[in-house]
Amino acid sequence: MKIDPWSSSAYNDYARLRDEFGIEEFNFPDLPNPHRLFRRGVIFGHRGFNPIMDAIRFKKPWCILTGLAPSGHMHIGHKMVIDQVIYYQSLGAEIFLAVADIEALGVRGISLEQGRKIAVEHYITNYIALGLKPENCQIYFQSKRETVKDLAYLTGNKVNLSEMRAIYGFEDSTNMTHVYAPLVQVGDILHVQLEKYGGPKPTLVPVGVDQDPHLRLTRNLAFSFRIFNVTLTKDNKIGIFVKPDENVNELLDEAERIIKKLGFADYRKIANYKAIYLDGATTSDIPKLDEALIPIEQQFGGYGFFPPASTYHQFMSGLTGGKMSSSEPESSIFLSDSPEDGVKKVMSAKTGGGVTLEEHKASGGRPDECTIFELFLYHFIDDDKELDRIYNDCKSGSRVCGACKKLASEVVSAFLSDLAKNRELAKKNIDQYLRDD
Ligand code: TRP
């Protein structure tokens, strides 16, 4: 299996994706007031979410960084990320949103001006209309943020073309802006930990699983800038290793001071190995050690990035059955669709109903294969009991497709007309969100 962020392939075996790529199952029952996307397992996987859960629990500073590619119009599949962002904002996260105008240029040939226009009209206005708040939130354009571009060059220096090709499968004909786009995304994800943006902090990147290659690259590059490597050794001890050859003794002394302060008494410092071995520690102590060591790295001129965490959501199917895609208008409900168009798309959507009414009533429907049921599950029915009832009644055959389509038409049309109203208000407030520096 291969994950290609720029292909239009559909993913359906999420458990297999997790296994093959070492993505962990998302299982955090302690999340406060979990949004339906969490309650229903739509967020199916993560990398490194534990420190985020800690930050939420102990009210420590943390942030969200995610991005949008301004090509095509925003549809309800895109809405999932912003739903999560708004939820995390309510939990106290600082929010950074990247408009990937450089990526849209490199990958889709969309000019920076066009990208800006699409982002503002079709994405940002909708984000605000959906409830994103301006406090502690900034939206920026890749092409305008020097720190992001600097980091692209800096991190680009630690990865070579053949590694990039192994990850992304670039061809000889791939244009260089496209080749650079993943490094700009690395810049997006890491720049929030620079002093100018508040310094090192746990960062969460909520995305669709197609973005995982970027996250793997970013986590590797973040690590390559670390001064300390805290890891499980072959003989099952936790070791703190100094990676560079300069200031080794000073760094070990600082690390020793830290581990004593954290209460570890059983350790051996071996300067020749540039290491401290902690006899009593386990892998669960690693995040705590990293968190304490990262500030020292800054004093010694390092970057000390926390490895960015990520979560992955499943994709909605298109209304016509395949993938939901902006390039196939019938497959998606766009947030700028008129209520009438929304209803039309609902009425012609593929369902999991029986071939005839008699058959449906006799053998039941297949809600798991129904795009209308997906609309309810992802977006339009928040009450878990009501959703369960619809699911069971469909399965048993007592609820027919007509009833679901009628309900879906009502909720979709109300949603689209409210949203259009909210957008008018939102347009006036856009400047409160945009930050170019
Ligand atoms: N590549 C993402 C997309 O195609 C957009 C993006 C740019 C992004 N920078 C990001 C996503 C940083 C997450 C984090 O949708």
Side-chain angles (χ1 to χ4, degrees), residues 7-281:
S7 86
S8 57
S9 51
Y11 301 94
N12 33 44
D13 194 344
Y14 293 102
R16 186 166 156 218
L17 270 180
R18 262 194 318 243
D19 290 349
E20 278 196 29
F21 293 97
I23 294 169
E24 291 183 71
E25 184 170 357
F26 193 92
N27 187 9
F28 292 89
D30 292 346
L31 267 186
N33 306 316
H35 185 273
R36 59 178 174 272
L37 294 173
F38 297 95
R39 301 197 304 269
R40 297 171 186 174
V42 175
I43 317 293
F44 72 95
H46 76 97
R47 291 186 192 274
F49 193 83
N50 286 302
I52 302 294
M53 195 60 231
D54 254 33
I56 295 173
R57 209 178 269 135
F58 301 112
K59 304 218 177 307
K60 292 190 269 189
W62 64 288
C63 76
I64 293 287
L65 176 293
T66 188
L68 58 116
S71 62
H73 294 179
M74 181 175 172
H75 59 57
I76 52 166
H78 298 126
K79 175 173 171 286
M80 277 190 273
V81 165
I82 200 67
D83 284 344
Q84 294 169 64
V85 169
I86 291 169
Y87 164 69
Y88 289 127
Q89 188 173 44
S90 79
L91 298 184
E94 181 175 5
I95 309 294
F96 294 86
L97 296 175
V99 176
D101 57 349
I102 294 182
E103 178 177 353
L105 172 65
V107 180
R108 315 263 175 232
I110 293 173
S111 73
L112 297 178
E113 295 71 36
Q114 261 176 307
R116 187 174 188 102
K117 191 162 180 295
I118 297 173
V120 169
E121 282 175 18
H122 291 280
Y123 289 82
I124 300 172
T125 316
N126 278 315
Y127 290 3
I128 302 172
L130 288 167
L132 185 68
K133 301 273 181 301
E135 293 80 31
N136 235 352
C137 171
Q138 50 180 293
I139 305 178
Y140 69 91
F141 294 81
Q142 287 178 328
S143 67
K144 298 288 175 302
R145 195 159 269 195
E146 292 299 325
T147 43
V148 166
K149 291 184 283 184
D150 287 350
L151 273 176
Y153 289 103
L154 185 75
T155 54
N157 206 20
K158 292 205 189 274
V159 56
N160 65 36
L161 189 54
S162 103
E163 290 164 310
M164 292 295 276
R165 289 182 93 135
I167 304 173
Y168 296 107
F170 293 140
E171 310 279 338
D172 284 359
S173 59
T174 305
N175 79 74
M176 292 308 297
T177 308
H178 187 166
V179 173
Y180 237 83
L183 293 168
V184 181
Q185 183 154 344
V186 171
D188 285 329
I189 297 172
L190 296 180
H191 89 285
V192 298
Q193 298 199 54
L194 299 182
E195 242 12 85
K196 180 169 180 194
Y197 298 96
K201 56 186 157 298
T203 305
L204 174 66
V205 185
V207 281
V209 67
D210 63 316
Q211 299 292 304
D212 186 50
H214 300 312
L215 267 303
R216 275 179 272 144
L217 176 67
T218 309
R219 286 166 64 88
N220 286 337
L221 286 171
F223 176 72
S224 71
F225 282 90
R226 286 291 304 276
I227 289 178
F228 292 107
N229 175 14
V230 186
T231 186
L232 185 69
T233 64
K234 279 189 226 74
D235 42 357
N236 264 324
K237 294 189 173 58
I238 298 299
I240 300 176
F241 298 90
V242 173
K243 297 200 302 181
D245 290 324
E246 306 83 54
N247 302 321
V248 175
N249 289 323
E250 291 87 335
L251 285 161
L252 287 177
D253 289 346
E254 281 297 306
E256 181 175 16
R257 196 177 53 75
I258 293 282
I259 58 176
K260 276 192 189 151
K261 210 165 88 189
L262 289 175
F264 294 98
D266 247 1
Y267 65 85
R268 280 167 304 134
K269 185 162 91 172
I270 308 184
N272 281 347
Y273 292 176
K274 304 190 340 185
I276 299 179
Y277 296 94
L278 294 165
D279 289 311

